[in-house]
Amino acid sequence: VKPSKPDKPKVEPLKAFSIGVMLKACQQLADYGPGGAVGSWRDLMSAAVVVRSMLGISPSAYQDACEVMGPENAAVAVGCILERANLINSPGVYLRDLTRRAERDQFSLGPVIMALLRNNGGRLLQVV
């Protein structure tokens, strides 16, 4: 029996959130999917690659996030960064920080998604 690699981070499952919930939380991401829509996890991941480039996140930072969080979670993280891009000075540095925190089990997408759902809900509390 081979011993498991202790340095291999566990990937957080997304089973708690459907693609519909993700799109409600990360509404802007859908615009960057194939044909301007996201209908599947594959579409969401394709959209995240476009957004990654647009936000100036390096391919290596995104690849590291995919390896640590899993490709779906990394795509959702990029969608979350897009939703808050006006508040984030350096999206690439931010994603690298999230990736490091995820490696140490100090970051979970769940609370971020819930906060975005509250902000993107029916009530528009922020008036600019």
Side-chain angles (χ1 to χ4, degrees):
V1 177
K2 283 186 172 182
S4 63
K5 292 183 183 179
D7 59 334
K8 175 90 172 135
K10 67 177 199 254
V11 174
E12 177 183 348
L14 276 177
K15 292 176 184 160
F17 299 102
S18 69
I19 188 80
V21 169
M22 294 301 170
L23 291 174
K24 221 172 228 184
C26 303
Q27 294 175 358
Q28 298 177 53
L29 196 58
D31 295 338
Y32 300 95
V38 168
S40 67
W41 284 105
R42 181 174 289 178
D43 292 349
L44 188 131
M45 290 185 287
S46 295
V49 170
V50 173
V51 169
R52 174 207 61 77
S53 178
M54 184 185 82
L55 291 174
I57 297 171
S58 71
S60 66
Y62 187 67
Q63 182 61 37
D64 290 348
C66 287
E67 289 172 9
V68 171
M69 299 179 198
E72 293 90 352
N73 284 331
V76 171
V78 168
C80 293
I81 291 170
L82 177 64
E83 287 295 313
R84 294 289 173 250
N86 60 324
L87 304 173
I88 298 170
N89 291 330
S90 179
V93 171
Y94 191 74
L95 181 61
R96 283 199 186 275
D97 182 59
L98 295 181
T99 302
R100 281 193 302 274
R101 289 170 50 202
E103 279 180 314
R104 297 188 306 258
D105 288 330
Q106 296 174 342
F107 171 70
S108 172
L109 280 169
V112 177
I113 292 163
M114 296 310 291
L116 287 173
L117 285 171
R118 281 191 300 275
N119 290 338
N120 293 341
R123 298 177 310 197
L124 297 174
L125 297 177
Q126 66 257 26
V127 177
V128 180

